[in-house]
Amino acid sequence: MRAAIYHGERDVRVEDVDRPEIEHPGDALVRVTHTAICGSDLWPYRGQSDRDTPSRIGHEPMGIVEEVGDDVRSVQPGDRVFAPFVVSCGECEFCRRGLHTSCVNGDGWGGDNGGAQGEYVRAPHADGTLVRIPDRYADDEDALQAALPLTDVMGTGHHAAVSAGVEAGDTCVVVGDGAVGLCGVLAARRLGASRIVAVGHHADRLDLAEEFGATDTVLGGEGGVDDEAERVRELTHGGAEHVLECVGAAGAMETAVGAARPGGTVGYVGVPHGMGDGLDLFPFFGDNVTLSGGVAPVRAYADELLADVLGGTLDPSPIFTKTVSLADIAEGYRAMDEREAIKVLVEP
């Protein structure tokens, strides 16, 4: 099969590799029809985090089940499915608690499992990992593109909102205008927030945040305000009780705690980067600001979010601003790296 292979900084190639096969009775083989490039894929692409070379890459698969092991009960060949960015068994202590990313039998999509930016993946623990899309929507392209972000960014944005404690009628702040931050806006609106302040560095992305439900926006960076947190405090008369940190950089975390009202909560889901000198906890300590969150257990949220997608009340698909074939995936990486695309859809 063909798959994207990471060879080093700004070097992703499509190569012939061995197609994965059923290895255990709980496995399923999935032919990938839709996948995506994630913001977290850009860290090794830019040389800002370590990754084995060469290695298969990608972790957001959707496709058609082609074969299942003898023990698989929840899906069968021909089913349309998607999978979260980590494999989980669905049965261990942590999966039962809704913390699928800490599954004691967990796995990823690289290596022998195929890498999700490729033509096939092997899904270990298929019953605990794969989410079946009802036959009625199995060939509905609009529904499929709206469901694809549930593999990662929509569930991650939702985890930020849940971790921050957003409820109906609340005021909240979303720090970050990437795919996760934009999905955080959608999640906050879905949970009933009455006021959502989106903070970012790109005016066009903040325009999309408004379409997604943001009531206010704060543009920072070049051409924007010098102190984003200060501007948020002005808008919210002292800060918000619920802040979603959706970037992972030290500056974003500083903005998040600066935008939090004393006694508030920061829900963080951005993969931590640029914190070599550590994070100053005194602002959290001094104002009794709670820090909650971490890597999002998106499998725990997949069923409820899928119901809303299929019901027409949730549509994160506008985050896909560019579509490429697998053969052209290097162009997709370039476009995301240079901020020409928010998130790239890949169609193998």
Side-chain angles (χ1 to χ4, degrees), residues 103-255:
C103 175
V104 299
N105 301 303
D107 202 351
W109 294 109
D112 293 339
N113 291 338
Q117 290 168 12
E119 294 178 324
Y120 288 87
V121 290
R122 178 178 72 94
H125 303 291
D127 286 338
T129 300
L130 297 179
V131 182
R132 181 178 177 275
I133 294 177
D135 292 343
R136 176 182 174 186
Y137 301 96
D139 297 311
D140 183 333
E141 187 61 26
D142 289 341
L144 297 179
Q145 291 193 20
L148 183 60
L150 274 57
T151 59
D152 188 341
V153 291
M154 186 62 232
T156 298
H158 182 67
H159 187 56
V162 170
S163 297
V166 177
E167 296 181 350
D170 286 342
T171 293
C172 67
V173 176
V174 180
V175 178
D177 58 10
V180 172
L182 292 168
C183 287
V185 171
L186 281 175
R189 186 190 68 180
R190 178 180 177 272
L191 292 172
S194 61
R195 191 175 187 192
I196 304 169
V197 182
V199 180
H201 289 171
H202 306 86
D204 58 336
R205 298 185 180 197
L206 292 177
D207 289 342
L208 182 55
E210 289 185 329
E211 294 179 23
F212 277 178
T215 56
D216 304 86
T217 61
V218 174
L219 177 66
E222 186 176 350
V225 299
D226 294 330
D227 191 327
E228 298 149 36
E230 181 180 12
R231 178 58 181 149
V232 170
R233 290 194 299 271
E234 292 173 356
L235 288 171
T236 57
H237 307 290
E241 292 188 356
H242 314 280
V243 182
L244 289 62
E245 191 285 310
C246 299
V247 181
M253 188 65 81
E254 291 166 358
T255 296

Side-chain angles (χ1 to χ4, degrees), residues 43-98:
W43 293 112
Y45 180 79
R46 292 169 173 160
Q48 295 174 325
S49 66
D50 294 331
R51 186 182 181 94
D52 291 341
T53 55
S55 62
R56 303 182 196 183
I57 194 167
H59 54 257
E60 299 165 285
M62 171 185 283
I64 305 293
V65 176
E66 296 238 327
E67 184 181 354
V68 298
D70 292 340
D71 291 349
V72 176
R73 297 290 179 267
S74 63
V75 297
Q76 60 185 358
D79 284 348
R80 173 79 66 173
V81 297
F82 68 87
F85 60 84
V86 294
V87 170
S88 55
C89 71
E91 299 177 346
C92 72
E93 169 194 354
F94 300 107
C95 286
R96 293 197 307 270
R97 289 171 53 190

